Amino acid sequence: EMQTFKFDVKGMSCGGCTSSVQRALSGLDGVQKVDVTLQPGSATVEGDPDRITAHKIESTLAAMGYEAVARA
């Protein structure tokens, strides 16, 4: 069963940012679907909870220079 992870993402300033975030998250193992919005900055990731974790998503975004905060 897929799990949905939702994040507030700070630091994305343009459409190019959202595209690169979308690409990076889509490339993670276990991720099925990614939806990134610029205003407000957010990322919704749907994936296999056995293969993808909120921490992995956060660290991927952090490595790109964005701050991701998981939403409950």
Side-chain angles (χ1 to χ4, degrees), residues 10-26:
K10 297 182 183 131
M12 294 189 296
S13 56
C14 64
C17 299
T18 55
S19 299
S20 52
V21 166
Q22 175 107 22
R23 238 187 343 266
L25 296 180
S26 297

Side-chain angles (χ1 to χ4, degrees), residues 48-71:
D48 178 351
D50 292 332
R51 287 158 60 204
I52 187 71
T53 62
H55 178 73
K56 177 74 180 158
I57 296 164
E58 281 168 23
S59 59
T60 299
L61 289 170
M64 295 174 74
Y66 305 114
E67 184 190 344
V69 181
R71 284 209 296 257

Side-chain angles (χ1 to χ4, degrees), residues 2-50:
M2 293 297 133
Q3 183 174 347
T4 302
F5 303 91
K6 292 181 191 272
F7 297 89
D8 290 317
V9 183
K10 297 182 183 131
M12 294 189 296
S13 56
C14 64
C17 299
T18 55
S19 299
S20 52
V21 166
Q22 175 107 22
R23 238 187 343 266
L25 296 180
S26 297
L28 294 176
D29 183 50
V31 171
Q32 300 290 318
K33 187 169 167 237
V34 179
D35 187 31
V36 181
T37 60
L38 186 59
Q39 293 296 339
S42 74
T44 305
V45 178
E46 213 171 286
D48 178 351
D50 292 332

